[in-house]
Amino acid sequence: MLRTVALISLLSFSSYSTAHNHQHDGHQHSTHQHASHNSASLQVSNAKIRAFLPAAKSTAGYLTLDNKTKKPITIVKAKIEGLGRVEIHEHIHSNGMMKMQPVKNLVVPANGQVEFKPGGYHLMAFEPKVKLKVGETRNLTLYFSDGEKVENKIKVVSLKDAFSSESHHHH
């Protein structure tokens, strides 16, 4: 039943997100096959996570999330296949210093976008159960306050690739 609910709630994707995980893995579907039962449209693009550096206890993930609905949506949780814990974080300026803090709820405005990028919102991943290998893709699941969830693919990239491609994705 959860897989059926997940399939119904899958929304259109782009970039690395054309494949999804429901009753079968390993092949791709076109982006127009899935729509939410409430006509919502959520687009995930440029989803990537850096491979763990040697001896590192965490790594960061980035993506762009477009909300094409007429109401705000709120992300409350994220999971990545093979990782024990994934948190949504943000960088903030506090007393003249940059610091990072977890975010429990992140609102994506109606007809708006949130970009997860270095120096802003990002995913922090911890406790790898299986080593992340550059070039592979993993399943990413985003959970929302209304009970919906979206499954997507996230590509594992090197530290160098994570930052060198940032300049090509500004909106």
Side-chain angles (χ1 to χ4, degrees), residues 7 10 13 18-22 24-25 27 29 34 151 153:
L7 178 59
L10 280 172
F13 303 123
T18 57
H20 64 274
N21 177 27
H22 60 281
H24 48 276
D25 291 359
H27 64 276
H29 296 266
H34 303 289
E151 293 179 316
K153 292 291 184 184

Side-chain angles (χ1 to χ4, degrees), residues 22-49:
H22 60 281
Q23 293 182 3
H24 48 276
D25 291 359
H27 64 276
Q28 295 184 345
H29 296 266
S30 66
T31 59
H32 66 275
Q33 287 182 316
H34 303 289
S36 172
H37 60 278
N38 63 4
S39 300
S41 181
L42 182 67
Q43 194 168 32
V44 178
S45 58
N46 303 318
K48 58 189 170 187
I49 185 166

Side-chain angles (χ1 to χ4, degrees), residues 97-109:
M97 297 182 65
M98 276 294 268
K99 65 185 209 179
M100 189 172 58
Q101 67 184 20
V103 175
K104 292 200 183 290
N105 298 297
L106 174 57
V107 176
V108 182

Side-chain angles (χ1 to χ4, degrees), residues 40-139:
S41 181
L42 182 67
Q43 194 168 32
V44 178
S45 58
N46 303 318
K48 58 189 170 187
I49 185 166
R50 294 190 320 229
F52 283 81
L53 295 174
K57 298 193 184 307
S58 65
T59 192
Y62 309 107
L63 57 101
T64 301
L65 195 53
D66 285 297
N67 177 8
K68 302 204 183 274
T69 70
K70 294 179 181 173
K71 64 178 187 167
I73 58 169
T74 304
I75 306 168
V76 295
K77 185 169 119 177
K79 284 187 178 180
I80 298 173
E81 172 190 15
L83 299 175
R85 184 167 45 108
V86 178
E87 298 175 355
I88 299 167
H89 280 214
E90 70 178 329
H91 277 106
I92 60 165
H93 291 280
S94 178
N95 299 322
M97 297 182 65
M98 276 294 268
K99 65 185 209 179
M100 189 172 58
Q101 67 184 20
V103 175
K104 292 200 183 290
N105 298 297
L106 174 57
V107 176
V108 182
N111 295 307
Q113 178 184 82
V114 171
E115 190 173 357
F116 288 65
K117 62 184 180 179
Y121 291 110
H122 56 280
L123 299 176
M124 286 300 300
F126 306 90
E127 303 158 5
K129 297 174 184 170
V130 180
K131 183 179 177 178
L132 294 175
K133 296 179 186 113
V134 172
E136 74 179 349
T137 57
R138 296 282 179 100
N139 293 321

